Amino acid sequence: MKSLTSRAFLPINTDLFNNPKYQELSCDAMVLYSLYSQRKEVSTFHSQTGNDTFTDSEGIFIYFSNDEAAKILRMSVRKISTLRSQLIDCGLISVIRHGLKNFKIYVNTPETTPAETDLVLPWANFDFEKPIKSVPANLCTKLGENSEHKLLRY
């Protein structure tokens, strides 16, 4: 069985849940935004290595057709178009036509949740690479007769 750190995940920015600005954004739109955001990371990487194919005077952009998104998310192209409009309306993306069928999508970073907001998703991202600094005694238990302390995982 593969460990969680060796598997691919699609991260969703917690500001999309916590920031009142995005309260009306559907979960489907959040997942579509996450797809766009991951694709932008690839474009950013290429731009930093000297490949400016996905960079213009407006910044870094992606190509991501509604057909491709519909196939990945298992929904209709019309639904993807509706979700993309939600993302445009709340300022998470901007879209510019490029040719007859292509659209350049500029993916914006979500606004940080205001400090005075009651968080619905209050934790930060977990980092698998962080070492455990110390284990409080109340989280350890003696196992077996050899007096070794081992961490109980909940």
Side-chain angles (χ1 to χ4, degrees):
M1 182 171 149
K2 287 186 175 184
S3 73
L4 291 178
T5 57
S6 67
R7 300 189 65 193
F9 289 91
L10 185 64
I12 298 178
N13 188 310
T14 56
D15 286 316
L16 298 178
F17 293 100
N18 290 324
N19 192 329
K21 177 176 181 171
Y22 308 117
Q23 186 173 1
E24 300 301 316
L25 198 61
S26 71
C27 287
D28 288 342
M30 290 181 197
V31 173
L32 179 61
Y33 174 79
S34 294
L35 286 172
Y36 288 164
S37 183
Q38 249 191 350
R39 179 74 58 90
K40 181 186 177 187
E41 286 183 29
V42 174
S43 293
T44 301
F45 172 80
H46 287 296
S47 178
Q48 291 171 347
T49 59
N51 181 348
D52 291 333
T53 303
F54 298 101
T55 307
D56 64 13
S57 62
E58 299 295 317
I60 295 173
F61 63 90
I62 64 170
Y63 289 119
F64 208 121
S65 72
N66 286 356
D67 290 332
E68 181 181 9
K71 182 178 180 182
I72 292 168
L73 296 179
R74 301 179 186 128
M75 55 184 63
S76 71
V77 173
R78 183 180 178 119
K79 175 70 173 178
I80 295 296
S81 182
T82 300
L83 297 175
R84 192 165 75 173
S85 293
Q86 286 182 24
L87 296 174
I88 292 168
D89 291 345
C90 63
L92 288 170
I93 64 169
S94 56
V95 179
I96 298 174
R97 181 179 289 281
H98 184 244
L100 294 175
K101 292 187 175 185
N102 292 324
F103 293 90
K104 290 181 179 179
I105 302 172
Y106 298 88
V107 182
N108 303 317
T109 303
E111 290 181 17
T112 303
T113 303
E116 67 279 358
T117 303
D118 289 328
L119 304 178
V120 292
L121 199 60
W123 58 84
N125 289 338
F126 179 77
D127 185 355
F128 285 101
E129 302 303 318
K130 289 182 183 175
I132 297 175
K133 293 180 183 174
S134 65
V135 178
N138 65 344
L139 291 180
C140 292
T141 185
K142 286 186 179 181
L143 298 176
E145 296 179 18
N146 59 7
S147 298
E148 288 182 27
H149 286 83
K150 297 192 179 186
L151 179 63
L152 288 177
R153 298 194 185 258
Y154 296 93

